[in-house]
Every structure is written in C-alpha cells, then in structure tokens.
Amino acid sequence: MLYLAEVQKQRSGFGLGGGKAELKLLACQRGEHNWSAVPGDDAIPVEEANKFNDGTLVLVELSASKQVQRIQEAARQLVSILQNFSRLQDKFKDKEEEIEQWKASLTFSSQELNRREMEMQAREEQLAQMEDELERLEAQRSEIENTRDEANRRREEVDRSRVEMETAWEQLRGEQQRVAQQQSQVPQGAVVDEQQARRIQELMNKLGGAISSALGVREQLNQSFGVVGAQQAILDVHWQQLEQKRANAQQQQEEVDRQNQSLQNRWQEWYQSQDALAGARADLKGQQSTLSAKQEQAQSVSLQVRAVEELYQQVSRLASASGAAVAEQRVDVSALEKMSVEELQGLVQHLQQDLEKVFRFVNDQEEELTLQRETIEELQGKIQAASEYDRMALENEMADELESYQMLNETLVGQRLRLQEREDVLKQHQGVLWRRLGTANAPKQEPGDMDLGPLVAQLNSHRQQQSQELQRLENEIQQLQEAISQIEANVNRLQGESEAKRYELKQLEQNLFNQKGAVAELWGRVNVYQEMLQPVQDNLKGLGQKLESVAGELDRVQQTGEQQDMDIAQLRQVISGLLNLP
C-alpha cells in the first residue's frame, strides 16, 4: 500500500553514519484520487530513508507486514496530485456552471409555462366576452327582425288604408255621378231623398275614417324609426370596437413580422458561428495530429537515449575496471607521499565510504529513472489505445512524467560525473597507498589493455546531443500541448456559446410561434366579429330603406288625405244645402 511519509532523523553524535532515520506516516492512498490521513504519531525505522534529508516528504510502498518495497521523493508526485486536483476543481466548476445554466433554464421554462397559463386564462375570458357579445348581437338581430316585421305590417296597413280610401273615393265619385244624373233627370227644385242622403253620409264617414287610420300608421312609423336609430347606435359602438381590434391586430402583426426578421438574422449569425467552430475543431485536430507525431518521435529518441545511456554506463564501467582515466584528476600526489601511512589509510577509507554512499544514491536514482521510463512507455501505450475524451488527461499526465523524467535525467548526468570523479580520485589515492605499502594490489596496466577514454568521451558527446534533441522535442510537445489546451478552451467556449445561443434562439422561435398563433387567433376574432356585424348592418340598412319608402308613401297618402278632407268638407256643405231645400 502506498503512503505519504515524512523523514525524521535523530542525531546521536558527530560521527559518520551516527543518525537513525524513521518514517512518520501521514496519509494512505485508498483509491486513484482518494487519500486518507493516518491516525497517531507512529514512526517506522527505515534504513533506506538515510539518503533523504530530515523533514523530506517521501512516497513509500509498504507491504502488509510494514516492509519497505519502494521509496522515493514525493515532490513530483505531489505536484502531479495537485495538478490533477486543480483539473478536477476546474471540471467541478464547469459542472456547477452547467447546473446553474440548467437551473436558469428550468426557471425560465416555469415562468414561460405560467405566462402561457395566464394567456390561456385571458383568452378564455375573451372568448366568454365574445360569446356575450354574440348573444347581444343575436338579441339585437331578433329585435331588428321584429321591427322589420312590424314595419312590413304597418306598410300593409297603409296599403290597405290607401286601397280603402281609393275604394271610398271611387264609391263617392259614383254617388256623385248618380246624383248628378238624378239631378239632371229630375225637374228643377227636386231634392235628394233621405235614403240617398244617408248613403252619401256613410261614404263620407268611411272616407274620413280611412284618413284617420293613416294618421295612426304615421305614429307607429315614427316609433319604428326610433327603434332603428337605437339599433344603429348600438351597431356603431360595435363597429368602433371592431376597428380597435383590427388596429390592435395590425400592430401585433407588424411586431411579429419584425421579430421574425430579427430571428432570421440571428439564425444566420449562428450558422456563421458554426463555421468558425468547425474551423477551430479542424485546427484542434491538426494540432493533435502534430502532437501525436511529435510524441512518437520523442518516444523513438527516448529509446535511443536509453540505449546510448546503457552503452555509456557499460563502457564507463569497463573503463573504470581496466583503470583507464576518464578525465584528468588533479590530486596533490606529493602531499599524499608526505602524509603518514595511517592518515593515508584513514583518508582512503573515508573516500571509500563516501563513494559507497554516492554510489547507492546514484543507483537509487537510476532505478527511479528506469521506473519513470517504464511509466512513460506504459502511458504511451495507453494514449494510443485511449478514447479522445481520456486522451487529454493521459497526455497531461504524460507531460508531467516527461518533465519529471527530464529533470531527474539532467540531475543524474552531473551525479554520474561526480561519481566517476570520486572513483578516479579514490583510485589515485589507493595507488599511492599501495605503492607506499609495497603490496601487490596496485593496479597494473597490461600490455593488451585498451584505453577506453576516447570512446567514453564520444559516447558522452553523442548522449548529450540526443538528450538535447529529446529536450527540444519535449519543449515542442509542451508548446503544442499548451496551444492545444488554448484551442480546446476556445472550442469549448465556442461550443458553450453556440449551445446557449441555439437554446435561446429555440426559445425565441417558440415564443414567436406562440405570438403568431395569438395574432392569427386575433385576426380570426376580428373576421368573425365583422362577419357577425355585417349581416346585421345590412338588414338594418334594408329595414331603414323600407321604412323610408313607407314614410314617402305615407306622406303622399297624407297629402292626398288633406285634399280629400277639403273636398269632403265642401261636399258636406253641398249636401247639407241640398237636404235643407223644400
């Protein structure tokens, strides 16, 4: 199990190697991104922790029996963990923003539903009002029909009165002719008998009654005119309301047309933004292809660097074993010759102990470098088989591992050189000591030995060139990754803006559709209202014309009746004179 621990050292004196190193366990890994604190202050003595400074944070892998399986510094891994945590925070922030957008969308939808419900209630009230208006119009039309029937009845009465008056006049003229004939036939001084006088009187009374009935018809006709005028006033009010509704419908129609044109323009802008988004995606795909090619090239160069490094290490060990001088060492041999043998032996022993410590440290660093190289190769395999969504996280992890590998490799270059220098210095000290002791352990140059110094120098130069090439590729990969991150951020931003605009345009389109339906419904009400009013207006107009015609006929009848009244009065005087004769 993997633990995060702190190195604690206790000093027991000033001698070499007198400290005791322990590991204080701080946290334990429970999952890929899950760590929990270790309770208590227990410390585990670990000999491998002596190579770390006091207070250093390390990652240690312990077995079930608390045996150390692997230990390494935790700085790079902590940086990687913090970077992953930062990325997770960014993702959580994006999710929170997305949740807030959904909340706002749901709130807007709820408000829109409430608004549409209120509109439906308002439309129901309008329909109820229209039904009331329709009932009133039906009642008015029925009243107008009744008025028209009454006018027709009055007109028939006027016609009957006129016929009766004409009949009475015809009878009166016949009586006058008969009286005239009788007067012409009887001798001068004859008188009208009583029966004839009574007949003439009846005819004059009948004629006067017909004229009186015509005056009653005039009164009823005036009442009909009053009813028609009242109905026309009511219709005028409805016509005004119709004009107001038509003006309102026209205004709303113009507003809907304007919004429709604006919506079309905004859809055109959205399609243009889609072109820009497609271009950004194509650019991102091209950069990702370039990054994949660079990573494959870096992987190949990394393998070459690894092979050259192994060859360099092997040749260096061969050169060291054969006693070949890799680099010229500046050792004061005269001072060593003057030094006592005991002091020289102590110095050589101290150099041996120091060389062993450095060798163990460099060996541990080499093992860590090997583990990091294996991790990089494993990540490269995962990247090639991963999906596009997981590839981004793996590439970021790959970049962190490459950076850590490069820094450790650069550090090891100097450490290897220092190890070689110390080994050469130790060999020179040992040579002086063995020569002064006169022992047979002094290294001797055999005639067949080869000087591997130039080969080591050439391999070192080639290794440095390949390391520089690898560093250049890694820098280019890092720059490409930064550029891809920026392009991805731009693509995500454009994608978010595009989705938000599309959602907004869909909402506007739905609202516009609802407004078009409302305007169409309003125009339908206007047309129905006009279709209801126009027949009533036409009937009322026809009734008024008929009443005007009846009034004209009645005026002519009244004028005739007045003339007839005068004639009847004169006739009465004549008849009265005749009746009074002896």
Side-chain angles (χ1 to χ4, degrees), residues 276-406:
L277 179 59
R281 286 175 175 169
D283 189 12
L284 176 61
K285 189 174 181 181
Q287 293 289 346
Q288 288 176 344
S289 300
T290 304
L291 177 62
S292 298
K294 291 289 183 182
Q295 287 176 342
E296 292 177 359
Q297 185 179 359
Q299 183 180 3
S300 176
V301 174
S302 176
L303 294 176
Q304 294 177 6
V305 169
R306 179 181 175 183
V308 172
E309 180 68 26
E310 292 177 355
L311 181 60
Y312 173 77
Q313 294 296 331
Q314 293 176 0
V315 174
S316 296
R317 284 194 294 270
L318 288 174
S320 176
S322 63
V326 179
E328 183 180 359
Q329 303 294 333
R330 299 181 180 275
V331 179
D332 192 355
V333 179
S334 61
L336 297 179
E337 294 289 346
K338 295 177 182 179
M339 190 181 298
S340 64
V341 175
E342 290 79 8
E343 290 178 352
L344 184 57
Q345 286 179 343
L347 180 59
V348 169
Q349 185 178 4
H350 177 72
L351 289 175
Q352 284 179 343
Q353 293 176 353
D354 185 58
L355 180 62
E356 289 177 358
K357 291 181 181 180
V358 175
F359 179 77
R360 285 198 301 270
F361 178 75
V362 172
N363 190 30
D364 291 339
Q365 295 295 317
E366 292 285 355
E367 290 180 358
E368 183 178 355
L369 186 66
T370 301
L371 292 175
Q372 288 187 354
R373 187 163 53 244
E374 293 175 355
T375 303
I376 291 173
E377 293 174 357
E378 183 180 356
L379 285 174
Q380 288 175 346
K382 289 182 179 180
I383 290 174
Q384 293 178 357
S387 61
E388 179 140 358
Y389 177 77
D390 297 332
R391 184 178 297 173
M392 183 173 18
L394 292 174
E395 288 176 351
N396 292 331
E397 187 176 355
M398 175 78 171
D400 297 337
E401 292 293 338
L402 285 174
E403 183 180 0
S404 177
Y405 175 82
Q406 185 64 27

Side-chain angles (χ1 to χ4, degrees), residues 38 123 131 211 255 396 405 539:
V38 175
R123 290 179 182 177
E131 289 178 356
I211 294 172
E255 179 65 19
N396 292 331
Y405 175 82
N539 292 334

Side-chain angles (χ1 to χ4, degrees), residues 321-517:
S322 63
V326 179
E328 183 180 359
Q329 303 294 333
R330 299 181 180 275
V331 179
D332 192 355
V333 179
S334 61
L336 297 179
E337 294 289 346
K338 295 177 182 179
M339 190 181 298
S340 64
V341 175
E342 290 79 8
E343 290 178 352
L344 184 57
Q345 286 179 343
L347 180 59
V348 169
Q349 185 178 4
H350 177 72
L351 289 175
Q352 284 179 343
Q353 293 176 353
D354 185 58
L355 180 62
E356 289 177 358
K357 291 181 181 180
V358 175
F359 179 77
R360 285 198 301 270
F361 178 75
V362 172
N363 190 30
D364 291 339
Q365 295 295 317
E366 292 285 355
E367 290 180 358
E368 183 178 355
L369 186 66
T370 301
L371 292 175
Q372 288 187 354
R373 187 163 53 244
E374 293 175 355
T375 303
I376 291 173
E377 293 174 357
E378 183 180 356
L379 285 174
Q380 288 175 346
K382 289 182 179 180
I383 290 174
Q384 293 178 357
S387 61
E388 179 140 358
Y389 177 77
D390 297 332
R391 184 178 297 173
M392 183 173 18
L394 292 174
E395 288 176 351
N396 292 331
E397 187 176 355
M398 175 78 171
D400 297 337
E401 292 293 338
L402 285 174
E403 183 180 0
S404 177
Y405 175 82
Q406 185 64 27
M407 292 181 64
L408 184 58
N409 189 28
E410 292 176 356
T411 304
L412 278 175
V413 171
Q415 291 177 354
R416 294 189 191 105
L417 292 176
R418 285 193 295 271
L419 178 62
Q420 186 67 40
E421 291 174 358
R422 291 186 181 187
E423 189 175 358
D424 293 338
V425 170
L426 176 61
K427 287 181 180 179
Q428 291 188 10
H429 281 74
Q430 286 177 341
V432 173
L433 177 61
W434 290 335
R435 187 171 59 253
R436 290 183 63 182
L437 292 175
T439 62
N441 294 328
K444 296 181 181 180
Q445 183 74 23
E446 298 295 334
D449 290 342
M450 186 189 319
D451 186 8
L452 300 178
L455 179 59
V456 172
Q458 184 178 2
L459 287 175
N460 187 29
S461 175
H462 185 58
R463 182 187 62 173
Q464 291 178 354
Q465 291 177 359
Q466 287 189 335
S467 298
Q468 292 175 358
E469 177 67 15
L470 181 61
Q471 181 65 32
R472 183 185 64 80
L473 288 174
E474 289 174 350
N475 292 333
E476 291 180 358
I477 289 173
Q478 184 177 3
Q479 293 175 359
L480 282 173
Q481 288 176 342
E482 293 176 355
I484 287 174
S485 298
Q486 294 178 357
I487 296 174
E488 285 178 345
N490 186 32
V491 168
N492 294 332
R493 180 182 60 81
L494 291 176
Q495 180 71 25
E497 292 178 355
S498 176
E499 291 297 330
K501 287 183 179 178
R502 185 176 180 275
Y503 177 76
E504 182 183 359
L505 290 175
K506 284 292 184 181
Q507 293 295 324
L508 291 176
E509 196 172 41
Q510 182 64 34
N511 294 336
L512 183 61
F513 178 77
N514 296 334
Q515 290 182 2
K516 286 182 178 179

